[in-house]
Amino acid sequence: MFIDWFNTKEVTLLAIKLANDLSAELEKNNHKSQKKASDHNARTMQKICRELNQYQQKNKLNFLKKSKLANEFKWRLTEIGHQKDFVDSTTKELLMHMNE
């Protein structure tokens, strides 16, 4: 049980999946008007947060796992090539949602 506290493999994979899903949805959104794009981005972030909620209901996230998830999410979005401001604000939103 104590060793599981340090096991971050699952949250690492989840963070990468969430970042990839978010990025794929945003890519689909490139051709839409500004208002439609904004609405779609908000819905996409809600979808990401729902998926995170489902995971949190089944798995307790301790401080280490929350930190690892946020860090991996942030770095994956950066690797994909998103702007620093977008990455920071999206990661902050994910963290705030995770700690509700």
Side-chain angles (χ1 to χ4, degrees), residues 73-95:
F73 181 80
K74 181 175 183 171
W75 281 107
R76 181 63 189 142
L77 288 177
T78 302
E79 288 171 356
I80 292 170
H82 291 285
Q83 298 280 329
K84 183 182 182 334
D85 290 342
F86 171 78
V87 171
D88 289 344
S89 65
T90 305
T91 304
K92 183 178 178 180
E93 187 176 342
L94 188 78
L95 269 170

Side-chain angles (χ1 to χ4, degrees), residues 3-80:
I3 293 175
D4 186 50
W5 200 90
F6 294 101
N7 185 358
T8 60
K9 185 175 183 174
E10 270 188 33
V11 293
T12 298
L13 295 174
L14 176 64
I16 292 168
K17 180 190 180 312
L18 294 175
N20 288 342
D21 290 351
L22 176 63
S23 201
E25 285 293 322
L26 294 176
E27 189 66 33
K28 290 180 196 175
N29 201 20
N30 277 344
H31 64 281
K32 295 183 178 180
S33 70
Q34 185 71 9
K35 182 175 183 343
K36 285 185 180 181
S38 179
D39 291 344
H40 185 264
N41 291 351
R43 284 192 310 273
T44 300
M45 197 59 199
Q46 288 173 349
K47 179 183 171 189
I48 297 295
C49 289
R50 273 194 309 272
E51 192 169 340
L52 178 59
N53 273 350
Q54 290 172 349
Y55 182 84
Q56 283 185 293
Q57 287 174 356
K58 297 176 186 172
N59 304 281
K60 176 138 173 64
L61 295 181
N62 58 37
F63 177 77
L64 176 66
K65 291 180 181 183
K66 288 179 182 179
S67 299
K68 183 69 172 177
L69 192 147
N71 194 38
E72 290 292 333
F73 181 80
K74 181 175 183 171
W75 281 107
R76 181 63 189 142
L77 288 177
T78 302
E79 288 171 356
I80 292 170

